[in-house]
Amino acid sequence: MPLAIFIRPPPPPLPEGFVYPKELPSITEQSKWETGFYRFRDEGEGFKSQVEYFNCGIVNWRGDDWLITRRRAEQSGPPGRNTIVAWKLVDNQPQRDYPVLIRPVFSGENWEDPRITVVDGKLLLSWCNFRWNSLAHQCVGYLTDRWFVPYVVRPEYGRNGSHLL
């Protein structure tokens, strides 16, 4: 049987204006707006857990600024547990946290990467929903004043299905 040799084709040319990441300035220097990093009270290492916040959205609602974040808490192993938390900002600092409550359909569901906007005076939240070893999909829903999503919309478009399976 003859020996088959696979030759990798050359990579496509880089787009015009491409800059290698090592040559980019810090993310805090790439915006014309004031930027920085928040420090959350439970962030970092704790007893059998490590908590981190990222992939946030920000909105002004009823005269207050709100930061909506993904909260990842690693309980035992790399996957962790992802939830969504709203933070009221006072003097541009997160003060009190409000967990966003979304009723799960399956055990082990995770919610992450929130985006938020105000529509007709109400908060409209979108997020990614998944559980480990399942497909992920996008969801959207209005929030109540108590940070609860009473009805989850699972838009069917492209490969975004009506549920995780």
Side-chain angles (χ1 to χ4, degrees), residues 141-157:
Y142 282 102
L143 287 161
T144 68
D145 291 351
R146 296 183 179 210
W147 302 99
F148 172 65
V149 179
Y151 182 75
V152 176
V153 177
R154 294 169 168 81
E156 294 186 49
Y157 66 92

Side-chain angles (χ1 to χ4, degrees), residues 74-147:
E74 183 179 340
Q75 301 301 328
S76 59
R81 177 84 173 115
N82 295 279
T83 57
I84 298 173
V85 178
W87 295 86
K88 185 174 183 179
L89 297 177
V90 177
D91 296 327
N92 202 28
Q93 293 299 315
Q95 296 301 311
R96 180 166 176 212
D97 60 317
Y98 299 85
V100 173
L101 305 172
I102 304 167
R103 191 174 293 124
V105 176
F106 301 101
S107 66
E109 282 190 61
N110 285 251
W111 300 275
E112 64 180 28
D113 305 342
R115 300 300 180 259
I116 193 158
T117 190
V118 178
V119 176
D120 294 330
K122 296 190 282 186
L123 291 173
L124 181 65
L125 180 71
S126 65
W127 67 94
C128 178
N129 174 223
F130 72 99
R131 67 180 187 165
W132 299 108
N133 299 320
S134 80
L135 299 173
H137 71 156
Q138 298 298 309
C139 299
V140 65
Y142 282 102
L143 287 161
T144 68
D145 291 351
R146 296 183 179 210
W147 302 99

